[in-house]
Amino acid sequence: MKVTMQILLIISGLVLIVSTLLQESKSSGFSSSIAGGAEQLFQNRKTNGFQKILSRITVISAIVVLGLTVLGMFYYK
């Protein structure tokens, strides 16, 4: 059971890394955060197609990584 959880954690971690790296940048750089980029932070961004799928995959894999980590932390002391 421990080996299975470790394998799932590694796979979900790799999926999280890859899906995060494949997403497009949502800001135009560091200069936008200094010069009034805060309004971009709270804008409602519409995502469609491939970016929407990547966003969902990222969220799901982050939840799986977090869940497996917490479960392993309490279950395998």
Side-chain angles (χ1 to χ4, degrees):
M1 182 71 174
K2 185 176 182 180
V3 175
T4 306
M5 283 183 58
Q6 289 174 341
I7 291 172
L8 287 174
L9 185 61
I10 290 170
I11 291 171
S12 60
L14 289 173
V15 168
L16 179 62
I17 291 169
V18 170
S19 65
T20 303
L21 289 175
L22 287 176
Q23 289 183 13
E24 291 181 3
S25 175
K26 298 192 186 215
S27 68
S28 59
F30 183 68
S31 62
S32 70
S33 66
I34 293 173
E39 52 272 349
Q40 288 182 355
L41 179 64
F42 299 108
Q43 278 181 351
N44 186 12
R45 294 189 186 102
K46 301 270 184 183
T47 57
N48 10 354
F50 186 64
Q51 292 300 318
K52 189 173 186 178
I53 294 170
L54 274 178
S55 176
R56 287 184 181 171
I57 289 172
T58 304
V59 169
I60 291 170
S61 61
I63 291 170
V64 169
V65 166
L66 181 65
L68 285 173
T69 303
V70 169
L71 184 65
M73 193 170 67
F74 289 116
Y75 192 69
Y76 296 109
K77 280 190 174 182

